[in-house]
Amino acid sequence: MTTHEVGYFVGSLSEESINRTLSKSLVRLAPPSMHLTEIPIRDLPLYNRDLDGAFPAEATALKDAIASVQAVLFVTPEYNRSIPGALKNAIDWASRPWGQNSLARKPSAVIGASPGAIGTAVAQQHLKSILSFCNSPQMNAVEAYIQFKPGLFTPDGEVTDESTEVFLRDYLEEFSSFIARVLTVLPPEEA
Ligand code: FNR
């Protein structure tokens, strides 16, 4: 069995982020065919195209981290019906310099948690639009809009509700299959 290396982004910088808690659950529940590693975005400066010729070390590290994985997973909050600026900033760095878009042909999936009933659905639509422009093949289904209710997850990411755990396991299995399918037709060496 092949194990795919998957880098994940947490769109929130908050120490108490519910999306970080969700990411801990995903790490716990990932199938053996998937190994999840965080790609940090916290220390990135704001993107400035004047630096395209001399990327700061944090941005180079981001691009190297994306290059080292076979797929990426976005775990994002919804801020004002879109994605947080910190996450958009990371994607902007990853997409540049022109002609060296790190997300091109990189399989991706999106998930997010909110206390609200629509569970980041609008932010995810925005993110999917951005990832389309970045030419990242995206998993369309399973969609995962997580309503974060008190007690649903322990702080270290244990899921307390069986149906949620089954759903997250299924989501990750589907993503794993999706990655395998994409890499079959788009082997990284030809990307
Ligand atoms: C929010 N929140 C929010 N929730 C939502 O469902 N839709 C939204 O558009 C917004 N907008 C929004 C804007 C800003 C600036 C903040 C700080 C918050 C609430 C949000 O879902 C909640 O704070 C989550 O806990 C944020 O996720 P993290 O940071 O805990 O992972």
Side-chain angles (χ1 to χ4, degrees):
M1 185 200 60
T2 306
T3 298
H4 294 121
E5 292 297 330
V6 177
Y8 69 89
F9 297 89
V10 177
S12 173
L13 304 185
S14 167
E15 295 294 341
E16 297 178 349
S17 166
I18 61 176
N19 284 279
R20 177 160 297 285
T21 303
L22 174 60
S23 76
K24 290 177 186 169
S25 299
L26 296 170
V27 170
R28 279 174 175 270
L29 299 174
S33 57
M34 180 185 285
H35 181 245
L36 286 165
T37 311
E38 182 173 3
I39 300 180
I41 63 171
R42 174 179 299 280
D43 296 328
L44 287 165
L46 285 177
Y47 175 76
N48 179 344
R49 72 182 176 85
D50 295 351
L51 301 177
D52 275 4
F55 257 38
E58 296 87 350
T60 301
L62 174 84
K63 289 180 75 71
D64 289 348
I66 298 172
S68 74
V69 295
Q70 290 158 301
V72 287
L73 172 64
F74 292 86
V75 187
T76 188
E78 180 171 289
Y79 280 5
N80 298 315
R81 295 284 183 256
S82 188
I83 61 170
L87 181 58
K88 180 61 163 55
N89 184 53
I91 293 172
D92 289 345
W93 278 116
S95 70
R96 292 282 156 160
W98 191 87
Q100 295 173 50
N101 170 12
S102 301
L103 294 166
R105 302 187 178 197
K106 189 75 67 174
S108 66
V110 176
I111 187 170
S114 162
I118 60 172
T120 74
V122 183
Q124 290 193 36
Q125 287 307 311
H126 281 197
L127 180 52
K128 286 173 180 176
S129 176
I130 294 163
L131 292 171
S132 295
F133 183 75
C134 291
N135 196 21
S136 166
Q138 299 165 60
M139 180 170 77
N140 291 317
V142 177
E143 296 176 296
Y145 308 121
I146 308 300
Q147 185 175 18
F148 199 98
K149 294 182 178 156
L152 182 58
F153 299 84
T154 66
D156 59 354
E158 215 173 303
V159 186
T160 60
D161 169 62
E162 193 184 342
S163 68
T164 303
E165 179 174 330
V166 168
F167 174 81
L168 292 175
R169 281 191 196 281
D170 181 52
Y171 172 85
L172 290 164
E173 287 282 2
E174 283 292 330
F175 187 33
S176 182
S177 303
F178 175 76
I179 295 166
R181 285 199 301 279
V182 173
L183 295 180
T184 302
V185 292
L186 279 178
E189 60 273 16
E190 291 176 20

